[in-house]
């Protein structure tokens, strides 16, 4: 199956009332882990690469691996997404490679660190939307700013510093025409999100619900949504790691989000933990091993288990065969003739 428009994948998810995990990749084993999980659970899937991943793997290696995944798994709809594009040029280069979706994270300036103004965010996101839609490519924008830093991207600080204002979310969606909207509700990238199991004072599901009420047709995106399970932390620490105690976003909160318009859920940290724990275990318990396959194989298996669990919990499992991909050129026509335009998104106040 060719790579699928993320818009189509999310529209289908909205129709079916489920969420779709967007899993970060840097290398072949992570891509394989995702595809093994997607095949096992019959799930459509979003694979995403940050700027750091594109640099680490070199664009062409990574993109060719995704193409191989699509070729080897003709029954699985796959959208390839640029995670946290920092500029028009970054998004343009992803589109040139063949990514079917880009995130223009205009919530930060081009340095990927400094929060931008609302007008700057609208301006750069709108430009990316115009360019991408002409080519049938989906655009995710962000309003509000996530906490933490991942792959060198992020404002740092607490997830509570720049919670999304629902009024701004509405204006942003109207003025940019984004297909999907990432919002800040207290989550952060990375392992250290919360110091105890989060409640409503730090994880603002009420804000998410308020935004969904105002933008019922907009696909909402939850970033920083690893659950950072204790068992994965324990494996890392049992075999010589030094993670401090931490809490992520509980799966039941994500499921509440899915019932309130969340269609894309970003997960990276849980997979990093699973991989690291598996590698540590082999190297710690069998120090005589030196063939990378001896630890990469269990690492891939450990990530597959996490991804398959999330696919089931998010509800995307079993939906791979629901639809046929619409050609990206036809998606472009849909944007051009208005049939796919996201306006009007806004329900009455
Ligand atoms: P986690 O660090 O919680 O996995 O979040 C990943 C993410 O949001 C990537 O954009």
């Amino acid at each position: 199956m060719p790579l699928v428009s993320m818009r189509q994948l999310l529209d289908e998810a909205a129709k079916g009332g489920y969420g779709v995990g967007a899993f970060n990749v840097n290398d072949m084993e992570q891509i394989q882990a995702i595809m093994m999980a997607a095949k096992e659970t019959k799930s459509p899937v979003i694979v995403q690469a940050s700027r750091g991943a594109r640099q680490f793997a070199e664009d062409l290696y990574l993109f060719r691996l995704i193409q191989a995944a699509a070729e080897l798994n003709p029954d699985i709809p796959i959208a390839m997404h640029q995670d946290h594009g920092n500029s028009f040029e970054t998004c343009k280069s992803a589109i040139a490679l063949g990514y079917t979706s880009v995130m223009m994270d205009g919530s930060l300036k081009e340095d990927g660190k400094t929060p931008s103004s609302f007008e700057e965010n609208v301006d750069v996101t709108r430009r990316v939307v115009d360019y991408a839609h002409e080519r049938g490519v989906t655009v995710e924008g962000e309003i509000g700013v996530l906490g933490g830093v991942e792959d060198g991207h992020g404002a740092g600080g607490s997830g509570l510093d720049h919670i999304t204002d629902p009024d701004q979310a509405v204006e942003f969606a109207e003025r940019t025409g984004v297909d999907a909207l990432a919002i800040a509700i207290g989550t952060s990238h990375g392992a250290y999100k919360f110091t105890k199991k989060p409640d409503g004072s730090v994880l603002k599901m009420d804000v998410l619900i308020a935004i969904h009420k105002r933008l019922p047709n907009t696909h909402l995106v939850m970033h920083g949504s690893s659950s950072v399970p204790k068992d994965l932390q324990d494996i890392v620490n049992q075999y010589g790691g030094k993670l401090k105690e931490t809490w992520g976003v509980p799966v039941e909160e994500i499921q509440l989000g899915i019932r309130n318009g969340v269609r894309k859920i970003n997960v990276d940290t849980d997979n990093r933990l699973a991989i690291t724990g598996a590698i540590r275990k082999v190297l710690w318990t069998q120090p005589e091993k030196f063939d990378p396959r001896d630890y990469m194989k269990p690492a891939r298996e450990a990530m597959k288990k996490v991804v398959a669990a999330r696919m089931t919990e998010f509800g995307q499992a079993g939906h791979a065969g629901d639809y046929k991909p619409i050609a990206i050129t036809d998606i472009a026509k849909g944007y051009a003739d208005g049939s796919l335009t996201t306006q009007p998104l806004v329900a009455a106040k």
Side-chain angles (χ1 to χ4, degrees):
M1 189 182 288
L3 293 173
V4 176
S5 145
M6 188 171 86
R7 172 67 188 269
Q8 185 188 4
L9 218 125
L10 299 183
D11 283 358
E12 289 289 340
K15 220 191 289 172
Y18 58 91
V20 184
F23 304 101
N24 287 76
V25 294
N26 303 274
D27 60 28
M28 180 185 75
E29 287 81 359
Q30 289 178 310
I31 294 169
Q32 289 175 323
I34 294 168
M35 296 320 300
M36 284 155 65
K39 206 166 161 171
E40 184 180 285
T41 61
K42 299 187 173 45
S43 298
V45 68
I46 301 163
V47 178
Q48 57 185 11
S50 65
R51 278 185 297 137
R54 288 178 57 188
Q55 215 166 31
F56 170 79
E58 293 185 37
D59 267 339
L60 206 53
Y61 281 120
L62 201 59
F63 192 69
R64 291 279 195 266
L65 285 168
I66 297 295
Q67 287 179 314
E71 204 173 315
L72 291 168
N73 296 276
D75 302 329
I76 306 286
I78 309 171
M80 183 61 203
H81 176 75
Q82 162 78 59
D83 191 21
H84 289 289
N86 64 321
S87 66
F88 180 85
E89 287 306 321
T90 298
C91 295
K92 190 175 164 191
S93 69
I95 293 168
L97 273 166
Y99 283 44
T100 56
S101 179
V102 293
M103 176 185 195
M104 178 59 237
D105 180 1
S107 73
L108 299 175
K109 289 180 187 281
E110 197 169 333
D111 66 6
K113 291 179 174 51
T114 316
S116 62
S117 72
F118 180 73
E119 288 302 326
E120 284 172 313
N121 190 358
V122 168
D123 177 59
V124 69
T125 306
R126 179 74 240 176
R127 281 195 294 127
V128 171
V129 167
D130 289 343
Y131 183 85
H133 282 184
E134 226 171 274
R135 290 154 182 84
V137 171
T138 310
V139 180
E140 173 186 339
E142 177 166 322
I143 183 76
V145 183
L146 270 271
V149 179
E150 197 162 51
D151 267 3
H153 184 98
S158 152
L160 293 172
D161 290 348
H162 304 276
I163 296 285
T164 305
D165 167 27
D167 285 335
Q168 273 201 346
V170 171
E171 190 183 338
F172 184 80
E174 282 179 329
R175 287 177 59 188
T176 59
V178 287
D179 301 282
L181 184 63
I183 54 173
I185 53 167
T187 64
S188 305
H189 291 120
Y192 300 104
K193 302 182 195 301
F194 304 111
T195 52
K196 59 184 171 64
K197 189 173 176 192
D199 58 21
S201 67
V202 288
L203 180 59
K204 303 279 186 193
M205 297 306 291
D206 55 332
V207 172
L208 185 148
I209 291 166
I211 294 170
H212 175 56
K213 282 213 174 96
R214 304 277 302 278
L215 292 170
N217 301 320
T218 297
H219 304 309
L220 299 181
V221 183
M222 278 176 77
H223 279 247
S225 287
S226 277
S227 300
V228 199
K230 186 158 171 5
D231 58 334
L232 293 182
Q233 297 179 44
D234 287 348
I235 294 173
V236 172
N237 286 340
Q238 188 182 344
Y239 299 106
K242 281 198 164 48
L243 294 173
K244 289 177 283 183
E245 200 174 32
T246 178
W247 275 262
V249 183
V251 167
E252 61 271 20
E253 300 290 354
I254 297 171
Q255 290 169 331
L256 171 65
I258 292 169
R259 291 195 295 278
N260 287 281
V262 171
R263 298 291 158 235
K264 175 173 180 276
I265 305 105
N266 285 15
V267 175
D268 187 3
T269 296
D270 285 353
N271 293 325
R272 293 176 171 199
L273 289 172
I275 289 168
T276 299
I279 292 175
R280 277 192 172 280
K281 185 174 176 186
V282 172
L283 297 181
W284 188 268
T285 56
Q286 302 174 77
E288 72 284 3
K289 296 283 190 195
F290 62 90
D291 181 342
R293 288 172 298 184
D294 287 335
Y295 50 85
M296 290 312 296
K297 207 170 159 199
R300 188 173 60 187
E301 188 57 32
M303 172 163 164
K304 185 211 108 177
K305 257 178 77 180
V306 172
V307 173
R310 295 293 174 272
M311 286 171 161
T312 304
E313 290 155 349
F314 298 162
Q316 74 208 79
H319 288 288
D322 289 0
Y323 50 94
K324 295 271 168 279
I326 303 171
I328 294 293
T329 44
D330 289 336
I331 298 269
K333 280 185 209 146
Y335 287 123
D337 69 18
S339 56
L340 257 183
T341 174
T342 47
Q343 312 292 341
L345 293 164
V346 189
K349 287 186 191 177

